[in-house]
Amino acid sequence: MTEAVETDAGPARITWHRAKQPRLVLAVSHGAGGGIEARDLKALAAALPAHGVSVALVEQPWRVAGRKLAPAPKTLDTGWRGVWPALAAPGQ
């Protein structure tokens, strides 16, 4: 399931890989040159839900907007702050 999330840095996107009986959520994101289709992120999303860990693959606002270069760290922090409420929502 994919969820759009509004942040002060623009819209972000979370692709959920939910555990049937979640104990925790692991939020991971891409690096500056890649996306959530990276092999390591896909491996986490495939393996961890069977162990009670829901995986949230987070696409940063700058990436959702189609930009190839990451903004300054201050802007990255703003994007993450906007995503946290969705990651901590009841039922996650």
Side-chain angles (χ1 to χ4, degrees):
M1 178 186 109
T2 301
E3 175 182 4
V5 178
E6 288 300 321
T7 78
D8 288 342
R13 199 166 28 231
I14 302 171
T15 300
W16 287 98
H17 298 267
R18 289 194 167 93
K20 287 184 182 174
Q21 296 183 339
R23 295 181 296 123
L24 59 102
V25 171
L26 173 67
V28 292
S29 191
H30 50 81
I36 63 167
E37 63 279 348
R39 285 186 308 178
D40 55 346
L41 300 182
K42 287 172 66 175
L44 290 169
L48 293 179
H51 300 281
V53 180
S54 290
V55 178
L57 300 179
V58 178
E59 290 180 83
Q60 297 294 327
W62 60 271
R63 178 82 175 184
V64 172
R67 292 191 293 276
K68 303 233 185 240
L69 296 175
K74 184 172 151 182
T75 303
L76 293 174
D77 291 347
T78 300
W80 272 110
R81 278 192 300 275
V83 170
W84 291 130
L87 298 172
Q92 305 298 4

